[in-house]
Every structure is written in structure tokens, then in C-alpha cells.
Amino acid sequence: MELLARVRYGRLATSMRALPLLAVARHQVVEGRVLLRMHRGLAYHESCDGSVIAYGADNFDSAPAPGDPDGLWSVHFTGPAELTDPAPGERALFGAEPSRVNGEPFDPVYIRLEPHVVRMHTLGFGASP
């Protein structure tokens, strides 16, 4: 969960109308749980409420710092999700909202995810030439 807190966005995986669905979400780690913020207008949150979903994030878009023991990493987990109305302090953790999503005004919806099965993978580049 420490690594997850280092990046802002990840990908949620669930099914919607019996088809696989991948969606980008903004996240925050709050007391060992993951709080997701998505755009209500896409309706992806409807397939998550009360379901077991998967969520993952990584730092693959950035070069690891020299000597960073973590190198490149990915974290993914599964667990039950529920729609939630976070406290004002939890909402503030997300920072500024986007103004628009697919041309529509951004309307936030929040999902709280309880990680049950957590996996981490690293890619190390410390080999000598």
C-alpha cells in the first residue's frame, strides 16, 4: 500500500453487463483501504457497488531513481467495493478535480475498496554492464 500511495491513478477491472471493463480512476489510500474517485457520468461505478473488483497501479511511466531499491513496480489487488460518501477531509486528499470528462462536467462518485488479495511485482535494473 505504500507504493500505491506514490502514484495518483490506477486501473479498475470489473465486469459490466457480462463484459470485461477497465477504467482509469484516481485513488487515495486511507486507513488501509483504497478510496477511488471516478466520473459518475460514465456509470462504471454501478457495476462496482457490492461486487469484488480488481484495482492496480504502477510506476511504469517513470524511470526509477538511481539506487532506488524498488525500481519499477506494479501493485494489484482484489476485494469488495462499495459506493461511499467520504468525509470532507478524505475528499480533500484527491486535490483538484478535472473540469470535464469526455466533454461533460466532472461529477465525482466515490468507491471504497477493501483489499483482500494484494500482489506486488518489481522490475530491477541493477545488473552490471
Side-chain angles (χ1 to χ4, degrees):
M1 297 312 260
E2 288 178 31
L3 292 175
L4 188 64
R6 293 183 191 179
V7 296
R8 298 171 50 188
Y9 290 89
R11 288 156 305 284
L12 169 126
T14 188
S15 63
M16 186 175 207
R17 297 180 196 95
L19 296 173
L21 169 74
L22 284 174
V24 173
R26 175 82 166 89
H27 65 260
Q28 288 292 329
V29 177
V30 179
E31 297 177 4
R33 295 182 182 165
V34 178
L35 186 60
L36 304 178
R37 181 180 74 187
M38 302 176 74
H39 175 54
R40 184 181 312 272
L42 300 174
Y44 296 156
H45 63 286
E46 294 172 3
S47 64
C48 298
D49 192 29
S51 297
V52 173
I53 65 170
Y55 189 75
D58 59 59
N59 70 342
F60 292 166
D61 65 339
S62 60
D68 182 354
D70 295 321
L72 293 177
W73 54 263
S74 70
V75 174
H76 56 274
F77 51 87
T78 58
E82 65 180 357
L83 294 178
T84 188
D85 185 16
E90 291 175 330
R91 287 177 188 247
L93 294 173
F94 287 96
E97 297 177 347
S99 58
R100 305 185 80 68
V101 174
N102 292 347
E104 297 178 6
F106 181 72
D107 182 13
V109 64
Y110 297 88
I111 300 168
R112 193 170 308 272
L113 178 56
E114 180 77 38
H116 283 193
V117 179
V118 180
R119 299 282 186 260
M120 180 186 83
H121 302 285
T122 61
L123 299 173
F125 294 92
S128 58

